[in-house]
Amino acid sequence: MAHKWEMDASCPNEYHAVQPKRGREFILRLTTGADIFLGLQAFAADHNIRFAKIHAAFMGGLQPARFLVWAPDARDPGNWHHEHPRTVQSLSMILSMSGIIHPRPAKGGGEEPFPAVHFVVGGAWDAPTVGGHLLEGSIVKGVVEVFITEIVGIDVIFPEAAVAEAHADQFPENWYKETGD
């Protein structure tokens, strides 16, 4: 049985909320050659961060930029959540970036930090302005600095199906519960 937060809204003003607290705050600097996804994931693991808000402070470039974009699912038109990987090889400027770090089920059990980052790139004659979910393989060109604000006082709730079929390459939707910490 699905949790209430997994179901479609029963009325237009329905919502779900938790009230977390701020923890530690960091500025993370990534330079040419660093993979943004892997850098954020390693940072979270090294600092024992389960939940955090990612918000950009200074945005540089990427070459390449790898991401998932929403795309029509030709095999199942009712699948509105279909995403397709895309790569922009040309040097592109990060125009906007934000997201969260949260745990996801790890292959073999347990959990691992997962940076769920939305971003927009563009700004060059041969780089379209596009955006999506940042993927591993998005390599910094120049300098990218982001603010990281740890979030405390919550824990993750995974959908039952995601826990039963946990794979490291899946991106399960989840929700949170307050812990009182």
Side-chain angles (χ1 to χ4, degrees):
M1 171 103 183
H3 298 279
K4 179 82 170 142
W5 57 266
E6 295 179 82
M7 302 160 107
D8 291 344
S10 60
C11 62
N13 63 348
E14 181 179 330
Y15 62 89
H16 309 277
V18 294
Q19 187 173 2
K21 299 173 188 78
R22 287 178 181 226
R24 301 169 290 172
E25 301 212 56
F26 303 89
I27 299 175
L28 185 64
R29 181 180 176 95
L30 302 160
T31 56
T32 298
D35 182 306
I36 293 181
F37 182 92
L38 294 177
L40 289 167
Q41 192 173 42
F43 170 79
D46 291 347
H47 290 85
N48 298 313
I49 293 175
R50 289 188 73 221
F51 302 96
K53 177 172 64 167
I54 301 167
H55 35 124
F58 176 81
M59 296 167 266
L62 296 175
Q63 189 173 17
R66 291 199 63 243
F67 52 100
L68 292 173
V69 293
W70 274 348
D73 184 347
R75 293 171 294 183
D76 180 6
N79 179 12
W80 63 269
H81 199 265
H82 180 71
E83 293 184 296
H84 183 74
R86 178 155 183 209
T87 301
V88 173
Q89 292 292 343
S90 302
L91 175 61
S92 55
M93 180 173 62
I94 299 173
L95 305 172
S96 177
M97 186 170 85
S98 64
I100 64 170
I101 295 170
H102 61 89
R104 73 173 173 183
K107 213 173 250 186
E111 63 184 37
E112 65 183 350
F114 178 69
V117 179
H118 292 176
F119 77 119
V120 177
V121 294
W125 291 115
D126 57 352
T129 302
V130 293
H133 292 112
L134 182 86
L135 289 175
E136 183 178 332
S138 295
I139 307 302
V140 173
K141 190 79 164 181
V143 174
V144 173
E145 294 178 357
V146 295
F147 282 109
I148 308 285
T149 303
E150 182 181 34
I151 303 296
V152 296
I154 60 173
D155 201 358
V156 67
I157 305 170
F158 291 115
E160 295 301 322
V163 173
E165 302 172 13
H167 299 287
D169 59 348
Q170 289 183 336
F171 310 102
E173 293 288 332
N174 57 29
W175 187 236
Y176 313 99
K177 62 182 176 184
E178 294 177 24
T179 63
D181 295 343

